Amino acid sequence: MMQENCWRPGTMVNAVRKDIFSVPSDIELDPGCRLLRKAGNTTLSSDGLLDEVLVLREDSAIELPESGPSSRSFIVSTELYDSIEDGDVGMFTGRGNVRVILSRRANHNTLLVTERCDNRCSFCSQPPKQNNDDWLLSQAAMALAAFGSEETVGISGGEPLLYGDAFVKFLDFVQKSSPKTDLHVLSNGRAFSDSSFAKKIGARASSNITFGIPLYASLGEVHDELVGAPGAFSDTVKGLINAGNAGIPIELRFIPTQMNLDEIVPTIEFVLRCLSNVIQISIMNLEPTGWARKNWSNLYCDPSIYARDLKRGVRMVRDAGLPVLLFNYPLCHLPEELRDAAVKSISDWKNFYPEECDDCVLKQSCSGYFSSSQGKFHESPRKIV
Ligand code: SF4
């Protein structure tokens, strides 16, 4: 039976794109994904992998049945209609709302496939749960097949690779049913310490399946403390080596915190010297969500404090001929010479720009802020020099 746990953290106030909507109280849909149809699709088909729901404006000229089973296939909501494209995918929570989880208007789509994890990162944005949530993986497979994106979709957790061979089947299904969809999988990489598993994934991973794997230090004790799991560093490093040897394209991630500030340069050096098949290094500003909020005062560090190491690290990666990107940094928080490495990385459903940004000449290219930073986690925009 499908559980009613959240698909992703709740919608943020003032976000660039709203993603969660109330479902009229007379609509009773079981929890799960459905294809959202609009634009005059009056004939609904259930031939596909997902059931379909027709979304109508309140002023629609289409006559709806007043009652009966077919009324379950209609939602009259002008707000939802105006916020979606035909063929978006909605997750009905069973609690009176629908979250648009795959949107053709989104700047980036990500699907959460489990909330279970074998790490306990002190800044985890999606604190792990123990419940069996296998349904998330099967729903994600159906959603991807029905959505048929020709862009990259993120797969996140929890730790997706805890599924083991079921995740291999998931990749096979998505590649077969939606061959133009590229996947970017966020993983702690520990499962790749099993070289035979890394080879299985490697046989499927090509340029259209990449893995984002974080390494938070070159020292085991620092990485293990940050991820709250003794032995994690050893597994992740073995995993990174096996993944590289298996031909899995790796985006290596690093999040600077108070606990690993001295490790920016040594970690980059370690990655450049010892790992293969790393196609990009991403350095990410902390997101004030989940456990990062309660640990914020012990974790967050203003980028100006580590700007010198950041510059050095970026230069090292560039000298090695690799792309290096800075995620989640307001441009005015970075030294000018690093701004060309920063990208608009925050998903629109959790992205916001405070009033001060309205007249900023950098706004078009700036990542802005996480909506969750509003309040005590907000670091104000700065004068651009
Ligand atoms: S003022 Fe706003 S838009 Fe401009 S750089 Fe800062 S955060 Fe970005």
Side-chain angles (χ1 to χ4, degrees), residues 95-109:
R95 296 190 300 270
N97 53 39
V98 55
R99 189 185 295 272
V100 181
I101 57 165
L102 290 172
S103 162
R104 288 168 212 282
R105 293 185 190 173
N107 63 350
H108 183 65
N109 286 298

Side-chain angles (χ1 to χ4, degrees), residues 153-201:
V153 176
I155 301 297
S156 77
E159 172 48 49
L161 296 187
L162 289 181
Y163 280 114
D165 286 346
F167 194 78
V168 177
K169 285 187 188 155
F170 166 82
L171 294 181
D172 287 344
F173 177 83
V174 175
Q175 284 186 312
K176 192 167 168 220
S177 57
S178 186
K180 292 185 178 167
T181 303
D182 292 351
L183 297 179
H184 177 272
V185 184
L186 275 180
S187 165
N188 62 33
R190 297 181 68 178
F192 289 144
S193 60
D194 174 351
S195 61
S196 63
F197 180 68
K199 282 179 190 155
K200 273 189 210 170
I201 298 282

Side-chain angles (χ1 to χ4, degrees), residues 330-332 353-354 356-357 360 362-363 366-369 381-382 384:
L331 287 177
C332 55
Y353 295 84
E356 298 99 305
C357 301
C360 176
L362 299 179
K363 187 174 179 185
C366 179
S367 199
Y369 291 83
R382 291 162 196 175
I384 296 167

Side-chain angles (χ1 to χ4, degrees), residues 128-146:
K129 294 181 182 155
Q130 309 283 353
N131 304 345
N132 181 318
D133 54 10
D134 291 358
W135 64 276
L136 286 168
L137 189 68
S138 50
Q139 288 282 299
M142 302 296 182
L144 287 164

Side-chain angles (χ1 to χ4, degrees), residues 250-265:
I250 299 163
E251 177 218 7
L252 199 291
R253 297 186 155 206
F254 185 94
I255 299 178
T257 69
Q258 292 173 35
M259 291 162 69
N260 63 348
L261 275 195
D262 295 340
E263 284 292 308
I264 296 174
V265 171

Side-chain angles (χ1 to χ4, degrees), residues 37-38 47 67 111 114 123 134 145 162 167 194 247 307 314 347:
R37 307 307 306 264
K38 61 185 284 196
D47 295 344
S67 61
L111 295 179
T114 183
F123 39 70
D134 291 358
L162 289 181
F167 194 78
D194 174 351
V314 165
S347 298

